[in-house]
Amino acid sequence: MKENDKLLINNKAEMLREMAQDAHEMRATAKTHILENGFDNSSSAVTAYFKASEEERLVRGVSEMLLKVSNMA
């Protein structure tokens, strides 16, 4: 049961790392759009940049926490 819990935690941590990477890529794409086209051309790029930044920060923190918990078990 302990091994199964550890596997589940590791799988969740991996999923969160992938989500963080996706958010990082989305933020980079939004930033590129903003730099190339300016702020007034697309408010969605500005929104995407800030939402992706928040998402990346959140999932990276949760992922790191899960790995610490897994290593304690």
Side-chain angles (χ1 to χ4, degrees):
M1 192 158 139
K2 194 174 185 180
E3 258 324 290
N4 192 35
D5 288 346
K6 192 170 186 175
L7 179 62
L8 289 172
I9 290 170
N10 287 337
N11 286 344
K12 181 72 169 183
E14 178 59 30
M15 181 193 71
L16 290 168
R17 278 193 295 271
E18 289 174 9
M19 289 173 64
Q21 182 60 37
D22 290 346
H24 176 78
E25 291 170 5
M26 182 64 67
R27 184 171 55 87
T29 300
K31 182 179 178 182
T32 299
H33 179 84
I34 291 166
L35 293 174
E36 290 176 356
N37 300 302
F39 284 96
D40 294 332
N41 291 341
S42 177
S43 65
S44 63
V46 176
T47 301
Y49 178 81
F50 288 107
K51 285 189 177 190
S53 296
E54 182 179 336
E55 178 76 8
E56 182 179 3
R57 184 174 12 90
L58 174 70
V59 296
R60 285 194 191 279
V62 172
S63 175
E64 290 172 14
M65 180 195 64
L66 280 174
L67 288 174
K68 287 179 185 177
V69 168
S70 175
N71 289 332
M72 290 168 46

mmCIF file of all heavy atoms in Angstrom, residues 2-3 12 24 30-31 38-39 44 62 71 73:
data_model
loop_
_atom_site.group_PDB
_atom_site.id
_atom_site.type_symbol
_atom_site.label_atom_id
_atom_site.label_comp_id
_atom_site.label_asym_id
_atom_site.label_seq_id
_atom_site.Cartn_x
_atom_site.Cartn_y
_atom_site.Cartn_z
ATOM 1 N N LYS A 2 1.959 1.196 0.769
ATOM 2 C CA LYS A 2 2.875 2.334 0.828
ATOM 3 C C LYS A 2 3.516 2.587 -0.535
ATOM 4 O O LYS A 2 3.652 3.730 -0.963
ATOM 5 C CB LYS A 2 3.931 2.060 1.890
ATOM 6 C CG LYS A 2 4.727 3.246 2.299
ATOM 7 C CD LYS A 2 5.645 2.883 3.451
ATOM 8 C CE LYS A 2 6.366 4.089 3.964
ATOM 9 N NZ LYS A 2 7.244 3.760 5.079
ATOM 10 N N GLU A 3 3.884 1.499 -1.238
ATOM 11 C CA GLU A 3 4.473 1.625 -2.579
ATOM 12 C C GLU A 3 3.460 2.209 -3.551
ATOM 13 O O GLU A 3 3.799 3.047 -4.381
ATOM 14 C CB GLU A 3 4.903 0.257 -3.095
ATOM 15 C CG GLU A 3 6.346 -0.123 -3.042
ATOM 16 C CD GLU A 3 7.357 0.973 -3.285
ATOM 17 O OE1 GLU A 3 7.474 1.458 -4.432
ATOM 18 O OE2 GLU A 3 8.061 1.314 -2.337
ATOM 19 N N LYS A 12 1.270 11.971 -9.903
ATOM 20 C CA LYS A 12 0.665 13.300 -9.769
ATOM 21 C C LYS A 12 1.733 14.385 -9.925
ATOM 22 O O LYS A 12 1.507 15.394 -10.605
ATOM 23 C CB LYS A 12 -0.009 13.423 -8.401
ATOM 24 C CG LYS A 12 -0.681 14.737 -8.150
ATOM 25 C CD LYS A 12 -1.938 14.906 -8.938
ATOM 26 C CE LYS A 12 -2.699 16.111 -8.446
ATOM 27 N NZ LYS A 12 -3.958 16.302 -9.109
ATOM 28 N N HIS A 24 4.497 27.317 -18.892
ATOM 29 C CA HIS A 24 5.708 28.061 -19.244
ATOM 30 C C HIS A 24 5.719 28.370 -20.746
ATOM 31 O O HIS A 24 6.014 29.503 -21.159
ATOM 32 C CB HIS A 24 6.939 27.255 -18.848
ATOM 33 C CG HIS A 24 8.222 27.879 -19.252
ATOM 34 N ND1 HIS A 24 8.777 28.935 -18.560
ATOM 35 C CD2 HIS A 24 9.044 27.632 -20.295
ATOM 36 C CE1 HIS A 24 9.900 29.291 -19.159
ATOM 37 N NE2 HIS A 24 10.075 28.522 -20.216
ATOM 38 N N ALA A 30 2.715 33.956 -25.276
ATOM 39 C CA ALA A 30 2.002 35.209 -25.020
ATOM 40 C C ALA A 30 2.970 36.379 -24.964
ATOM 41 O O ALA A 30 2.707 37.444 -25.526
ATOM 42 C CB ALA A 30 1.214 35.111 -23.715
ATOM 43 N N LYS A 31 4.108 36.168 -24.319
ATOM 44 C CA LYS A 31 5.111 37.236 -24.209
ATOM 45 C C LYS A 31 5.626 37.630 -25.599
ATOM 46 O O LYS A 31 5.755 38.821 -25.906
ATOM 47 C CB LYS A 31 6.263 36.786 -23.324
ATOM 48 C CG LYS A 31 7.310 37.850 -23.125
ATOM 49 C CD LYS A 31 8.413 37.361 -22.207
ATOM 50 C CE LYS A 31 9.482 38.417 -22.042
ATOM 51 N NZ LYS A 31 10.575 37.938 -21.183
ATOM 52 N N GLY A 38 2.587 44.401 -29.507
ATOM 53 C CA GLY A 38 2.170 45.424 -28.552
ATOM 54 C C GLY A 38 0.973 44.988 -27.730
ATOM 55 O O GLY A 38 0.313 44.000 -28.014
ATOM 56 N N PHE A 39 0.698 45.759 -26.701
ATOM 57 C CA PHE A 39 -0.374 45.440 -25.771
ATOM 58 C C PHE A 39 -1.761 45.668 -26.363
ATOM 59 O O PHE A 39 -2.684 44.943 -26.061
ATOM 60 C CB PHE A 39 -0.253 46.283 -24.497
ATOM 61 C CG PHE A 39 0.822 45.797 -23.583
ATOM 62 C CD1 PHE A 39 2.082 46.359 -23.622
ATOM 63 C CD2 PHE A 39 0.587 44.775 -22.682
ATOM 64 C CE1 PHE A 39 3.078 45.915 -22.783
ATOM 65 C CE2 PHE A 39 1.575 44.318 -21.844
ATOM 66 C CZ PHE A 39 2.820 44.887 -21.885
ATOM 67 N N SER A 44 -6.043 39.363 -25.043
ATOM 68 C CA SER A 44 -5.978 37.952 -24.661
ATOM 69 C C SER A 44 -4.534 37.497 -24.447
ATOM 70 O O SER A 44 -4.282 36.624 -23.621
ATOM 71 C CB SER A 44 -6.664 37.072 -25.704
ATOM 72 O OG SER A 44 -6.011 37.153 -26.943
ATOM 73 N N VAL A 62 3.255 22.947 -6.011
ATOM 74 C CA VAL A 62 2.563 21.729 -5.600
ATOM 75 C C VAL A 62 3.387 20.500 -5.964
ATOM 76 O O VAL A 62 3.505 19.558 -5.184
ATOM 77 C CB VAL A 62 1.151 21.657 -6.231
ATOM 78 C CG1 VAL A 62 0.508 20.311 -5.967
ATOM 79 C CG2 VAL A 62 0.273 22.776 -5.713
ATOM 80 N N ASN A 71 9.209 11.577 -0.620
ATOM 81 C CA ASN A 71 10.516 11.193 -0.091
ATOM 82 C C ASN A 71 10.478 10.962 1.422
ATOM 83 O O ASN A 71 11.327 10.243 1.945
ATOM 84 C CB ASN A 71 11.554 12.257 -0.427
ATOM 85 C CG ASN A 71 11.891 12.276 -1.901
ATOM 86 O OD1 ASN A 71 11.795 11.243 -2.570
ATOM 87 N ND2 ASN A 71 12.262 13.419 -2.422
ATOM 88 N N ALA A 73 8.028 9.415 2.909
ATOM 89 C CA ALA A 73 7.335 8.140 3.147
ATOM 90 C C ALA A 73 8.275 6.967 3.075
ATOM 91 O O ALA A 73 9.299 6.937 2.575
ATOM 92 C CB ALA A 73 6.205 7.969 2.140
#
